[in-house]
């Protein structure tokens, strides 16, 4: 009998990652049922990715929306449980480190459904981050762990997670590699840098002011596709936007790739954009105290900017970065592996 796979997703980066893996599952003739938790629901954070990246429509939409961590995660759990009991999947695929990942992991673990965790083994070693808690717990209850790099495998080994661990490469690199020649370059901006900022640790009042002041100091015109979380906080607190920043609405993936491609520099607290900058051979300034994507820092392509640091822009771009995140066939490797189970 054909194996039944359930994929649980709900937030922007998961839509992007799933687009590549779902395509490979179809290529291998595997049946996939998609459950969208609805953690992200704005058109520009959700539907746009389903349409532009051809993600199959979700079979279930939980429409959980936004709320506190406990409330959002518990809603996800209580809505998922009856579906998983009813569907009886052979295994469940979870991506990354969001509250949708954690909710899915806890429900599957209690129902004894094997978990396949894609993007396993990432660590910031900062347990104040919600994402660090989500990925730690998910890795510890997963049966099959697809890690994007040798560094992430080492992290798992240090926690005694050694069985069921495979270096698949990064599914986000698959997408970059596949669409490298079709990025949307139709935007009107010239001679600019690009900023994104949405993490919990950067979006309370004092941190947000410090981060915007860091950008105020640099001699660059900066385009900022603003996440709804950051937008709401800026408008509720009446924070002044520095004059060198131009706010735009969040953009789809092809447009974002076009914006990175023609930018001078990237400033971000996003995990995905640190790597996308790296693959675009753009210098990245990561507005955080640490990063999970340590390989990009080691290669001189990514600089950690803590709150007390000034940003000093470098012209020294080494275009011979070594890509530690696979060959662009991670999704195919994952589907091939699952097909043989
Ligand atoms: C989540 C992930 C984060 C990931 C990010 C990608 C967790 C703990 N964090 O953060 O790891 O990098 O997604 O974007 O899961 N909001 C809207 N519309 C939406 C979604 C959110 O207005 O479609 C606003 C709401 O005010 C909400 C806030 O953004 O309260 C935060 O959304 P949430 O999904 O809780 O976390 P993100 O910051 O998006």
């Amino acid at each position: 009998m054909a194996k039944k796979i359930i994929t649980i997703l709900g937030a922007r980066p998961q839509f992007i990652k799933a687009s590549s893996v779902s395509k490979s599952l179809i290529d291998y003739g595997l049946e996939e049922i998609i459950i969208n938790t609805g953690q992200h629901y704005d058109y520009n954070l959700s539907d746009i990715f389903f349409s532009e990246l051809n993600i199959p429509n979700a079979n279930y939409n939980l429409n959980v929306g936004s709320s506190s961590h406990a409330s959002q995660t518990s809603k996800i759990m209580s809505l998922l449980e009856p579906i998983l009991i009813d569907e009886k999947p052979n295994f469940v695929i979870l991506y990354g480190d969001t509250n949708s990942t954690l909710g899915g992991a806890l429900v599957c673990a209690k129902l004894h459904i094997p978990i396949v965790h894609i993007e396993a083994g990432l660590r910031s070693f900062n347990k104040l981050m919600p994402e660090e808690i989500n990925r730690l717990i998910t890795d510890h209850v997963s049966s099959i762990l697809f890690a994007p790099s040798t560094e992430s495998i080492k992290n798992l080994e240090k926690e005694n997670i050694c069985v069921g661990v495979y270096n698949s490469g990064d599914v986000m690199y698959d997408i970059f590699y596949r669409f490298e020649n079709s990025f949307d370059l139709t935007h009107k901006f010239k001679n600019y840098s690009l900023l994104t900022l949405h993490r919990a640790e950067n979006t309370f009042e004092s941190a947000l002011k410090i981060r915007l002041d860091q950008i105020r100091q640099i001699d660059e015109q900066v385009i900022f596709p603003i996440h709804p979380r950051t937008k709401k906080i800026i408008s509720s607190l009446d924070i002044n936007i520095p004059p060198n920043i131009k706010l735009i609405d969040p953009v789809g993936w092809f447009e974002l790739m076009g914006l990175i491609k023609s930018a001078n520099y990237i400033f971000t607290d996003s995990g995905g954009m640190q790597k996308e900058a790296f693959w675009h051979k753009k210098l990245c300034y990561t507005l955080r105290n640490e990063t999970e994507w340590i390989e990009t820092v080691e290669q001189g392509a990514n600089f950690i900017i803590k709150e007390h640091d000034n940003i000093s822009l470098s012209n020294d771009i080494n275009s011979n970065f070594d890509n530690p995140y696979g060959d662009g066939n991670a999704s195919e490797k994952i589907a091939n592996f699952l097909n043989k189970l």
Side-chain angles (χ1 to χ4, degrees), residues 113-333:
I113 299 170
I115 298 168
V116 177
H117 188 203
I118 296 180
E119 206 184 71
L122 292 188
R123 295 291 181 267
S124 65
F125 304 101
N126 173 2
K127 286 191 183 159
L128 295 176
M129 291 177 71
E131 293 84 1
E132 185 77 353
I133 305 299
N134 294 348
R135 57 192 164 224
L136 266 167
I137 293 172
T138 304
D139 280 339
H140 279 266
V141 295
S142 290
S143 302
I144 301 171
L145 299 95
F146 289 113
S149 64
T150 48
E151 194 64 35
S152 39
I153 292 196
K154 281 189 212 154
N155 289 337
L156 292 169
E157 280 168 358
K158 283 185 208 144
E159 293 170 23
N160 284 326
I161 306 178
C162 305
V163 177
V165 175
Y166 306 93
N167 185 346
S168 56
D170 188 346
V171 297
M172 283 193 73
Y173 183 60
D174 295 9
I175 311 164
F176 181 89
Y177 184 75
R178 176 156 141 235
F179 293 116
E180 207 171 352
N181 296 318
S182 16
F183 299 152
D184 178 356
L185 291 160
T186 56
H187 65 80
K188 55 185 186 303
F189 305 112
K190 290 198 170 58
N191 192 19
Y192 65 93
S193 288
L194 190 64
L195 166 70
T196 73
L197 206 55
H198 74 277
R199 295 243 176 217
E201 69 258 34
N202 277 333
T203 49
F204 59 90
E205 184 171 4
S206 56
L208 191 53
K209 284 184 170 159
I210 289 170
R211 292 308 185 182
L212 291 175
D213 274 339
Q214 286 176 318
I215 301 296
R216 194 191 303 272
Q217 308 300 328
I218 58 174
D219 190 16
E220 284 282 314
Q221 141 101 345
V222 176
I223 307 301
F224 182 9
I226 187 165
H227 187 291
R229 166 208 273 276
T230 319
K231 189 175 182 181
K232 273 180 204 161
I233 291 164
I234 286 180
S235 38
S236 71
L237 295 172
D238 218 8
I239 292 175
N240 284 333
I241 304 291
N244 60 333
I245 292 184
K246 179 170 176 45
L247 298 182
I248 62 170
D249 285 335
V251 294
W253 187 79
F254 287 94
E255 198 176 340
L256 185 72
M257 291 308 106
L259 282 168
I260 296 178
K261 188 170 176 142
S262 38
N264 298 334
Y265 299 98
I266 309 303
F267 306 101
T268 192
D269 63 0
S270 146
M273 271 182 60
Q274 292 172 53
K275 288 173 296 161
E276 284 157 348
F278 178 76
W279 296 322
H280 276 284
K281 304 194 189 308
K282 300 285 169 175
L283 288 182
C284 182
Y285 294 80
T286 293
L287 307 175
R288 288 178 50 192
N289 292 328
E290 68 279 306
T291 181
E292 300 78 21
W293 303 104
I294 193 72
E295 304 90 342
T296 59
V297 174
E298 287 166 355
Q299 294 200 42
N302 188 3
F303 305 95
I304 298 295
I305 306 292
K306 300 186 182 185
E307 286 191 359
H308 56 265
D309 293 342
N310 287 322
I311 302 177
S312 122
L313 296 176
S314 164
N315 291 319
D316 188 14
I317 300 186
N318 167 10
S319 55
N320 293 318
F321 302 141
D322 229 11
N323 181 19
Y325 304 119
D327 304 321
N329 58 4
S331 309
E332 205 262 327
K333 278 191 195 161

Side-chain angles (χ1 to χ4, degrees), residues 13 39-42 45 66 98-99 131 198 227-229 232:
Q39 176 173 348
H40 285 174
Y41 44 89
D42 284 2
L45 252 61
S66 304
T98 72
N99 290 345
E131 293 84 1
H198 74 277
H227 187 291
R229 166 208 273 276
K232 273 180 204 161

